[in-house]
Amino acid sequence: MESLLQHFERFSEVLAVSRTTHVRTWDPATVRRALQWARYLRHVHRRFGRHARIRMALERRLQNQWRLEGGSGSSPVPGLTNFQALERCDLLLSLRLLENRALGDAAYHYLLQELFPGPGVPDADPETLQGSLARLARRRSAVHLLRLSGYGENSVLEEDSVLKTQAELLLARLREVPKAEAEGPSRFLSILWERLPQNNFLKVIAAALLLPPSSPRLQQEELEPGTPKTLADGDQELVRWLLTKSDAMAAFCRNLPAGLLTSVAGRHPELSRVYLGLLADWARHLHYDLQKGIWIGTESQHVPWEELYGKFQSLCQAPPPLKDDVLAALESCKAKDGDFQVRGLSIWTDLLLALGCGS
């Protein structure tokens, strides 16, 4: 075990160095040894992946290592931070070296030859490193596009065609995230939520939830070798993530346009129920101001009457069964609140009257 821990720590240091200018001293032999080391650790992952004790021991050692080094005043570039990273350590090393301009010409050419040996060269791995690099490059391109699109509220990137393209890329990347990884697609989405401009990310999610199953880009990617044949997987992952990420779901329902939310609610009943629940909760925070004759919130973060009414109005313009569900929910809340028939006593009565549905 101790020997394995030392291998893990030393290779983590190699990964950190691979993004620094120190690689200018590397020759082809150094690159070859580093790649061999990475493949050995990938083999370790395959062999011990189901051994919880070994996995936890390795992760504790790595966390302690980076905590000690980070506390010494330096800011080390993270290498391997958990056992799961062993599965793709050769991929991480190769990608970092390819992106590092300090790597010498001879070492760089050797790396390219190792990664892309050309046709007719056998590969011992069932999943080639070249294929993994290509998928990672596509995933990074998608994230890069999502990040760039978050800046400039009035830019052309707000156009539906661009949002649709971003949505297609997001679904395609979701279907590539291995579900065997810890939390899989959910973790990937949470990372995007934390790192990307959130309002734009929510718009992309909404666009993805509204994509038809026959989207041309998704059809094309489905035909690629090794791609799962379930187009619905991506949007179901988005639904599951929203349902478990309460802050993202609240921001989704609060910040997106009412019409867009209505379309999503009509397509996904699970989200519709949560959306209605949030609207009802927001309505309960309002009270009637007798002097002004309007419903107002006591805190600045409370949803104003105008916004609440606009969202309910949009929902009531939807075709059945969504419209019927919304009206039934409003009538139920009105009955529980006293079933008043005059304005100013119950927000549910006033909403129904404003929507032209009151008796």
Side-chain angles (χ1 to χ4, degrees), residues 159-222:
E159 294 294 331
D160 289 348
S161 59
V162 175
L163 275 178
K164 181 181 177 182
T165 300
Q166 294 168 344
E168 291 170 344
L169 286 169
L170 178 61
L171 289 180
R173 297 299 73 80
L174 274 177
R175 290 185 288 116
E176 287 182 353
V177 177
K179 292 181 174 59
E181 291 186 1
E183 301 181 45
S186 176
R187 182 174 179 272
F188 175 63
L189 289 169
S190 294
I191 290 173
L192 295 180
W193 170 248
E194 293 168 3
R195 296 182 181 178
L196 299 178
Q198 292 185 347
N199 278 346
N200 186 76
F201 184 48
L202 294 174
K203 290 179 184 178
V204 174
I205 288 178
L209 291 171
L210 294 174
L211 280 177
S214 58
S215 173
R217 183 183 296 272
L218 292 180
Q219 281 185 333
Q220 180 180 358
E221 295 224 4
E222 187 184 25

Side-chain angles (χ1 to χ4, degrees), residues 57-301:
L58 288 168
E59 291 186 351
R60 278 198 302 268
R61 179 66 66 91
L62 256 293
Q63 290 168 4
N64 291 336
Q65 175 191 349
W66 290 116
R67 190 180 299 116
L68 289 172
E69 295 189 15
S72 65
S74 59
S75 299
V77 178
L80 297 174
T81 56
N82 54 59
F83 184 83
Q84 190 64 38
L86 288 178
E87 184 182 20
R88 56 184 185 277
C89 58
D90 55 342
L91 176 62
L92 291 173
L93 175 64
S94 301
L95 197 61
R96 289 183 179 186
L97 289 175
L98 286 172
E99 294 175 343
N100 193 338
R101 295 187 178 184
L103 187 65
D105 289 343
Y108 185 78
H109 290 162
Y110 174 82
L111 178 63
L112 289 178
Q113 188 176 13
E114 280 288 298
L115 298 179
F116 309 104
V121 179
D123 195 318
D125 286 328
E127 180 179 300
T128 65
L129 183 56
Q130 299 97 299
S132 297
L133 280 171
R135 282 192 297 277
L136 183 59
R138 291 198 302 271
R139 192 182 302 173
R140 285 195 169 193
S141 297
V143 173
H144 183 64
L145 179 57
L146 288 168
R147 179 179 291 115
L148 286 179
S149 66
Y151 301 97
E153 290 297 325
N154 298 319
S155 69
V156 69
L157 292 176
E158 294 292 326
E159 294 294 331
D160 289 348
S161 59
V162 175
L163 275 178
K164 181 181 177 182
T165 300
Q166 294 168 344
E168 291 170 344
L169 286 169
L170 178 61
L171 289 180
R173 297 299 73 80
L174 274 177
R175 290 185 288 116
E176 287 182 353
V177 177
K179 292 181 174 59
E181 291 186 1
E183 301 181 45
S186 176
R187 182 174 179 272
F188 175 63
L189 289 169
S190 294
I191 290 173
L192 295 180
W193 170 248
E194 293 168 3
R195 296 182 181 178
L196 299 178
Q198 292 185 347
N199 278 346
N200 186 76
F201 184 48
L202 294 174
K203 290 179 184 178
V204 174
I205 288 178
L209 291 171
L210 294 174
L211 280 177
S214 58
S215 173
R217 183 183 296 272
L218 292 180
Q219 281 185 333
Q220 180 180 358
E221 295 224 4
E222 187 184 25
L223 296 176
E224 294 183 3
T227 303
K229 300 295 190 288
T230 52
L231 290 177
D233 278 357
D235 62 353
Q236 288 308 305
E237 292 294 349
L238 289 174
V239 170
R240 279 192 285 270
W241 181 76
L242 284 171
L243 292 176
T244 57
K245 190 80 171 174
S246 58
D247 59 332
M249 184 64 190
F252 185 85
C253 296
R254 177 71 193 270
N255 298 335
L256 293 188
L260 183 58
L261 288 168
T262 297
S263 298
V264 172
R267 180 78 69 88
H268 300 277
E270 315 98 300
L271 297 180
S272 172
R273 289 189 288 271
V274 178
Y275 182 32
L276 279 175
L278 284 170
L279 288 176
D281 186 55
W282 294 339
R284 294 187 184 100
H285 283 87
L286 302 184
H287 70 276
Y288 194 73
D289 188 311
L290 290 173
Q291 291 183 342
K292 297 181 180 179
I294 58 174
W295 291 89
I296 61 173
T298 55
E299 304 289 342
S300 59
Q301 69 269 22

Side-chain angles (χ1 to χ4, degrees), residues 282-347:
W282 294 339
R284 294 187 184 100
H285 283 87
L286 302 184
H287 70 276
Y288 194 73
D289 188 311
L290 290 173
Q291 291 183 342
K292 297 181 180 179
I294 58 174
W295 291 89
I296 61 173
T298 55
E299 304 289 342
S300 59
Q301 69 269 22
H302 288 164
V303 178
W305 161 268
E306 294 79 9
E307 182 180 336
L308 195 67
Y309 166 73
K311 292 182 185 297
F312 274 114
Q313 183 185 45
S314 177
L315 288 168
C316 288
Q317 292 172 349
L322 179 57
K323 176 182 178 180
D324 298 337
D325 292 342
V326 173
L327 291 176
L330 286 171
E331 291 287 357
S332 175
C333 289
K334 173 175 174 279
K336 292 177 182 178
D337 205 30
D339 204 18
F340 298 106
Q341 305 300 323
V342 295
R343 295 182 183 275
L345 297 177
S346 169
I347 192 168

